[in-house]
Amino acid sequence: PPPATGADEHNRHIRYVCMCKCVCTALWVALLAAPVAAANDWRRWVSQAADSLSHASRAELSLPRVDGGERLSPAELEAPLLGARLSWLAYAEKRREVEAGLALLGSGMELVRFSPQRDSRGAQWLVARDAESGTLWVAFRGTASLADVVHDLMAAPEQTGAGDAFHSGFLRAARAAAEELREVVEAELRVRPCERLALCGHSLGGALAMTLLGAGLLPCASGDAGAEDAPAEVLAFTYGSPAAFHGELRGAAMRRVRAQSFVFGADAVPRLLGSEVPLLRAAALSLGGKSSTGALETLGGYAHWPGGELVYLDPAGGGARRVPRAQRDRVLHLHRAVHPDAAAHHKCYVRGLERAAAPGG
């Protein structure tokens, strides 16, 4: 967690970021729905869309439920909890704040590099070493600037040379950070080899971590030929992060990565991309809006890394549960974010994991 002296300011900052995300989402929906107002024929639109409303009208205000999912033990949650705390700490604005936060996390934590966001193309991240566990951590900050919002909104997919496609805004930011980050990580591994490398991030930060790994921008993580001093294990932890992959996934660069994606309650952010929205699609079709329909299909084509685990954090005290494959689409659908606490749940990951990792939690 952030240093106690800056806790109030930090919480106000996160509330502001969440509010900005909600406003951006509302504007995006309004832009898609604009042709409805312009058509001045809402009765015809309602009539033609009626057949597609059933799924949306049944969206429950109750929280998602995971049936039969295995509950993670406190021992299994130690690394994810540390990753969540580091992801939160990545929002700090100054190096001394990061160092103070690391000191609170334990005597074995050491800051290797803090890289603040320097321009509109880059991202903010930190690298820290946990001497006790032999882990080198890379934590990306989530949305906290106008440049980050621009990256969030660049939702057209972009294909890499390997044939995989990613959210273009995430890919742009990951590429901008890759060179410096690669040099820092590889230099640290040469001097002090470690057993494992772990990448993590909250919200946009988690999407950047997955994009960096999926696009093969960190050779020591993907096991590419020529990568020196590669760690034996590569981990990735994301918290309330949007889907970053698009279309058919080959995922060759992810073959060594063990990934866990955490979703707390009704958090809307991990559900914004990759969900079919029949109401908006029906509106676009009824008005002949092929471009709007295409945009919806593009957004619906995003996916979280299918080779990773999805873990649901239950706000009602049900702990942390692995989501069975058959239930992933249901748990991640946007309709599950139709809840009054959807925005508040986006900032509850540290607290939720602390409660789930506590004895009897």
Side-chain angles (χ1 to χ4, degrees):
T5 56
D8 293 338
E9 181 180 354
H10 185 78
N11 287 334
R12 285 196 298 271
H13 175 71
I14 295 302
R15 285 196 295 270
Y16 171 76
V17 170
C18 291
M19 180 185 70
C20 288
K21 287 189 175 182
C22 291
V23 171
C24 288
T25 302
L27 289 173
W28 174 73
V29 172
L31 287 172
L32 288 177
V36 178
N40 195 25
D41 193 3
W42 60 271
R43 290 184 178 85
R44 178 175 62 87
W45 172 73
V46 169
S47 175
Q48 294 182 356
D51 291 340
S52 299
L53 288 175
S54 58
H55 185 43
S57 65
R58 291 197 302 269
E60 301 175 358
L61 290 181
S62 59
L63 293 170
R65 186 182 70 249
V66 176
D67 299 320
E70 179 186 358
R71 190 165 179 166
L72 276 70
S73 68
E76 291 176 304
L77 290 173
E78 286 182 5
L81 176 55
L82 179 56
R85 288 169 169 164
L86 289 170
S87 298
W88 208 248
L89 190 58
Y91 283 95
E93 296 181 354
K94 298 179 181 179
R95 180 185 176 93
R96 65 173 181 270
E97 295 175 349
V98 177
E99 291 174 334
L102 290 176
L104 295 175
L105 295 180
S107 58
M109 297 299 299
E110 174 190 349
L111 181 63
V112 176
R113 176 72 63 88
F114 171 60
S115 180
Q117 188 174 40
R118 299 184 179 92
D119 54 47
S120 61
R121 295 182 63 88
Q124 180 165 306
W125 49 269
L126 64 88
V127 177
R129 174 179 286 273
D130 180 4
E132 294 183 359
S133 67
T135 304
L136 188 65
W137 286 89
V138 178
F140 287 91
R141 186 189 71 182
T143 302
S145 69
L146 179 59
D148 294 333
V149 173
V150 171
H151 290 145
D152 289 332
L153 296 178
M154 293 173 61
E158 181 176 342
Q159 196 170 55
T160 65
D164 285 331
F166 300 86
H167 183 290
S168 60
F170 303 160
L171 185 60
R172 172 183 171 177
R175 282 172 169 165
E179 183 176 357
E180 181 187 1
L181 178 59
R182 182 171 61 247
E183 291 176 356
V184 171
V185 170
E186 292 179 352
E188 182 67 15
L189 291 175
R190 281 195 299 270
V191 176
R192 295 186 293 177
C194 65
E195 296 180 8
R196 62 187 63 85
L197 174 67
L199 283 77
C200 61
H202 170 255
S203 194
L204 168 65
L208 295 182
M210 295 301 289
T211 303
L212 188 86
L213 291 169
L217 299 175
L218 199 59
C220 63
S222 59
D224 289 349
E228 299 178 0
D229 303 304
E233 189 176 16
V234 181
L235 309 175
F237 303 104
T238 69
Y239 311 92
S241 298
F245 299 84
H246 191 274
E248 183 181 352
L249 306 174
R250 295 167 178 80
M254 296 286 289
R255 59 183 177 273
R256 299 184 63 233
V257 180
R258 289 201 302 115
Q260 285 184 317
S261 298
F262 290 82
V263 176
F264 185 91
D267 183 3
V269 174
R271 299 175 166 100
L272 285 174
L273 299 175
S275 293
E276 293 184 359
V277 188
L279 176 59
L280 291 179
R281 179 177 172 80
L285 285 173
S286 68
L287 297 168
K290 294 183 179 180
S291 60
S292 296
T293 302
L296 290 174
E297 290 177 349
T298 296
L299 296 176
Y302 280 98
H304 294 268
W305 171 239
E309 275 188 347
L310 178 66
V311 180
Y312 177 68
L313 293 170
D314 188 354
R321 294 186 179 275
R322 293 184 174 91
V323 178
R325 296 284 172 184
Q327 299 180 44
R328 284 176 65 115
D329 289 345
R330 176 173 62 82
V331 171
L332 286 172
H333 198 279
L334 185 58
H335 292 148
R336 293 297 175 178
V338 182
H339 192 278
D341 294 327
H345 284 177
H346 188 53
K347 57 180 182 177
C348 291
Y349 285 87
V350 172
R351 187 175 69 221
L353 280 163
E354 286 175 343
R355 190 161 71 173

